Amino acid sequence: MEPALLLNATYEPIKVISWKKAFTLLFLGKVEMLERHERDILTMQRSYALPSVVRLLRRVKVTRKPIQFSRNNLYLRDDYTCQYCGETFGPSQLTFDHVFPRSRGGEKSWVNIVTACQDCNRRKRNRTPEEANMPLLSTPREPRWTPFTMNHNMSGAHENWKPYLWG
Ligand SMILES: [Zn+2]
């Protein structure tokens, strides 16, 4: 059954929870439902909307672990999209580009690595985006979200979670 994304009262994503847990929180009045799955839950009496995104009504303190700097998490952050041409690719067609070139001392970090397709990476060579006249679609940053650091697999993320994850 479909999981739900749990948000703090501040709309920050906290974690992914089971649909049962989401229902329990709803019935206890601890969360409000912001998004629903297309499917309903049927019981003997009636059908219920299946929560997809729920938000806590009272803020809880969350201790954030740093997000692992990994191939998967970079793809997730950049949504499998080449940050130069804006096209979406499968992982096997994507590469990582050092925004400030490695050959010139560019570091391997959240703020200096972006997802790029093979063509764009080849075209950019060891130049900066300015030198190559290839502006970045967005400024690379360390991601804020945490739900996928444990089970980082995009198949678990739903279309209607995205606005909350990349806020
Ligand atoms: Zn590209």
Side-chain angles (χ1 to χ4, degrees):
M1 199 67 88
E2 316 270 10
L5 180 66
L6 176 68
L7 305 180
N8 212 335
T10 54
Y11 290 87
E12 267 184 287
I14 298 176
K15 60 181 170 183
V16 178
I17 57 176
S18 70
W19 68 273
K20 281 186 184 165
K21 176 78 178 169
F23 262 117
T24 307
L25 291 172
L26 262 180
F27 287 125
L28 291 174
K30 297 207 184 272
V31 295
E32 62 169 344
M33 179 162 58
L34 297 181
E35 307 282 346
R36 44 169 300 175
H37 289 295
E38 275 171 33
R39 198 143 42 101
D40 286 345
I41 298 264
L42 292 169
T43 68
M44 300 290 273
Q45 292 82 25
R46 51 169 290 195
S47 70
Y48 295 91
L50 189 55
S52 174
V53 180
V54 293
R55 171 182 166 251
L56 288 166
L57 298 177
R58 292 184 61 170
R59 182 170 180 266
V60 295
K61 264 206 154 152
V62 181
T63 318
R64 286 193 177 282
K65 288 189 200 143
I67 293 169
Q68 194 198 352
F69 181 70
S70 70
R71 189 167 277 267
N72 260 320
N73 285 338
L74 274 160
Y75 286 152
L76 287 173
R77 183 197 65 182
D78 293 345
D79 206 14
Y80 296 85
T81 304
C82 171
Q83 295 300 295
Y84 294 104
C85 67
E87 297 236 24
T88 304
F89 295 91
S92 64
Q93 294 164 290
L94 288 171
T95 65
F96 295 118
D97 175 60
H98 287 71
V99 177
F100 188 78
R102 184 171 48 178
S103 59
R104 291 154 61 181
E107 58 176 7
K108 196 173 192 175
S109 68
W110 284 114
V111 296
N112 197 47
I113 301 276
V114 293
T115 303
C117 73
Q118 293 170 3
D119 281 353
C120 288
N121 203 334
R122 215 173 294 130
R123 194 169 339 128
K124 180 172 172 279
R125 304 202 307 269
N126 61 338
R127 297 177 292 180
T128 66
E130 294 77 27
E131 289 164 356
N133 197 20
M134 294 170 70
L136 281 167
L137 291 184
S138 55
T139 307
R141 286 182 262 241
E142 181 167 348
R144 288 171 58 239
W145 38 261
T146 52
F148 302 107
T149 53
M150 304 304 276
N151 54 333
H152 39 71
N153 178 352
M154 202 55 183
S155 63
H158 295 272
E159 208 47 43
N160 59 13
W161 291 5
K162 289 185 181 173
Y164 302 96
L165 295 176
W166 287 277

